[in-house]
Amino acid sequence: MAIRAIVVSIALLLGLGTLIPLATEYAEAGSVKTKRYKNKKKAKRSWRGVKKYSKRWWQLYRAQERRKRQVAQRRRALRLRQVRLARARQAAQERRSVAAAKPQAKTTAPVLPSGAPAPKNWSVGSADSNELKFNVAGNSGSNVGSASISVVGAATGDTSTRVNNRTVGGIPTTALRRDVINKMIKENGWVVNDYQKLVGNDTVYVVVAQSQARDGRVHSRLFYFTEAGGRVYSVATNSATDSAERLAEESEKVIQSLRGGAGRTQQAAVRD
C-alpha cells in the first residue's frame, strides 16, 4: 500500500513538471508564434505559385526593391524641401527683424536752387557748394541721363537784358564757350555749336557738345547759361542722343523755375 502511494505521487509530480512548462510556453509565446505564422502565410500568398529564385521571382524581387528605393527617395526629397522652406522662412524673418530695427530714413524731395521742387523724375546724385547733380529717370524708372545745376559766377554790369549777343549777366559768351570746350577736352568730347534760344519770355545762351561714353556710344551734351537773382547759372545735361530732346525740355523747365516760374516745374516729367 505504501509503495503504491509513493508511485502515484511520483507520477503526479512528473505530470505536473511536464504540464507547467508547456502551459507557460503556450500562454506567453502563443501570440508570437501565431504572428510569425500569419506573416509567413502572407508572404507566401503575395508571390503564390512563383518558385523561389526563379526568373519570375527575381523580377518580382527587383521590382519590390525599386519601389522601396523610390519611396525612400521621395521621403528624402520631402524632408529636404521641408528643411529648405524652414530655412527660407527663418531668413525672411531675420530680414524683417533687421529692417524693423533700422531707423527709417526720411526721404525729402529734391529741391532746386530757387527753392522749388525739382522735376518729379529727377533724384539727387551729389551736391557741393556750387553744383547740384541729378539722375534723370523716365516714367518706367530706367535712367535716361543726368543733369547738373551750377553757379558760374555773380552777374556783373547791366543785366536788364539777361542775354545779348555777347554776354550773359555781364559774363562774355566767349568765356562761357571756352569753359565748355575745356570741360569737353577733359571728358574726351567736342563742341558742336552755340546759339541763343528763347525760353519762356527770356533768351538763354546754349552750347551744344558731344562726348564718347565708355561703351563707345556718342552722348549729347547741352549747356544752358542764364542769369537769375544776380547770379549766372549753368544747367547742363548728359544723355544718349535719343533722350537729348526730352532732357532739353526738362532743363528749360528748370531754367524757368530759376527765374521765378516754380509752379511750372511741378509738371516736369520725362516722357518714355
Side-chain angles (χ1 to χ4, degrees):
M1 190 69 180
I3 295 172
R4 184 180 294 176
I6 293 170
V7 171
V8 171
S9 299
I10 293 171
L12 288 174
L13 289 173
L14 292 172
L16 289 174
T18 305
L19 289 173
I20 290 173
L22 289 174
T24 304
E25 183 179 357
Y26 278 106
E28 295 181 355
S31 59
V32 178
K33 286 185 177 180
T34 304
K35 187 175 181 181
R36 289 177 182 172
Y37 174 75
K38 288 181 179 179
N39 288 341
K40 288 181 179 179
K41 293 291 286 182
K42 186 177 180 181
K44 287 181 179 179
R45 281 199 302 270
S46 62
W47 292 352
R48 183 178 298 173
V50 178
K51 186 178 179 181
K52 192 172 183 181
Y53 303 131
S54 63
K55 182 177 180 180
R56 179 57 179 162
W57 186 91
W58 281 111
Q59 290 175 347
L60 295 171
Y61 175 78
R62 294 190 185 101
Q64 175 181 276
E65 294 302 311
R66 279 197 300 272
R67 285 193 296 271
K68 288 181 180 178
R69 287 194 297 270
Q70 290 171 358
V71 170
Q73 187 176 4
R74 285 197 293 270
R75 287 177 179 172
R76 287 194 298 270
L78 178 60
R79 285 197 296 270
L80 182 60
R81 277 200 301 272
Q82 290 172 343
V83 170
R84 287 176 177 173
L85 286 173
R87 289 178 179 173
R89 283 194 295 268
Q90 184 178 2
Q93 212 167 21
E94 290 176 356
R95 285 195 296 271
R96 286 194 294 269
S97 300
V98 171
K102 287 182 178 179
Q104 297 295 327
K106 293 182 179 180
T107 56
T108 57
V111 179
L112 299 174
S114 62
K120 65 181 181 180
N121 286 6
W122 288 29
S123 60
V124 176
S126 62
D128 55 38
S129 58
N130 290 324
E131 185 177 35
L132 285 172
K133 293 183 179 180
F134 298 90
N135 297 317
V136 182
N139 291 334
S140 63
S142 60
N143 188 53
V144 297
S146 63
S148 64
I149 303 173
S150 60
V151 177
V152 177
T156 60
D158 183 11
T159 60
S160 57
T161 56
R162 295 180 177 177
V163 174
N164 55 41
N165 291 334
R166 295 184 179 181
T167 65
V168 178
I171 298 177
T173 56
T174 54
L176 298 175
R177 190 176 192 275
R178 184 169 59 251
D179 289 342
V180 175
I181 291 173
N182 293 335
K183 183 178 181 64
M184 288 297 96
I185 291 174
K186 293 179 182 178
E187 299 182 12
N188 192 26
W190 56 93
V191 170
V192 177
N193 194 11
D194 65 319
Y195 54 88
Q196 281 81 33
K197 181 177 182 179
L198 188 66
V199 176
N201 296 323
D202 297 292
T203 305
V204 299
Y205 178 61
V206 184
V207 178
V208 181
Q210 291 180 338
S211 62
Q212 191 169 17
R214 293 181 180 178
D215 57 4
R217 292 189 302 174
V218 174
H219 278 208
S220 175
R221 310 289 296 270
L222 292 175
F223 297 85
Y224 293 83
F225 295 96
T226 186
E227 185 273 328
R231 294 180 177 180
V232 176
Y233 286 94
S234 168
V235 179
T237 64
N238 182 359
S239 68
T241 53
D242 56 352
S243 302
E245 184 177 350
R246 288 175 288 186
L247 263 74
E249 294 176 2
E250 294 302 306
S251 299
E252 292 175 10
K253 289 181 173 66
V254 170
I255 289 171
Q256 294 179 51
S257 173
L258 292 174
R259 290 176 172 176
R264 285 171 288 187
T265 309
Q266 299 283 356
Q267 305 299 325
V270 178
R271 296 188 302 272
D272 287 332

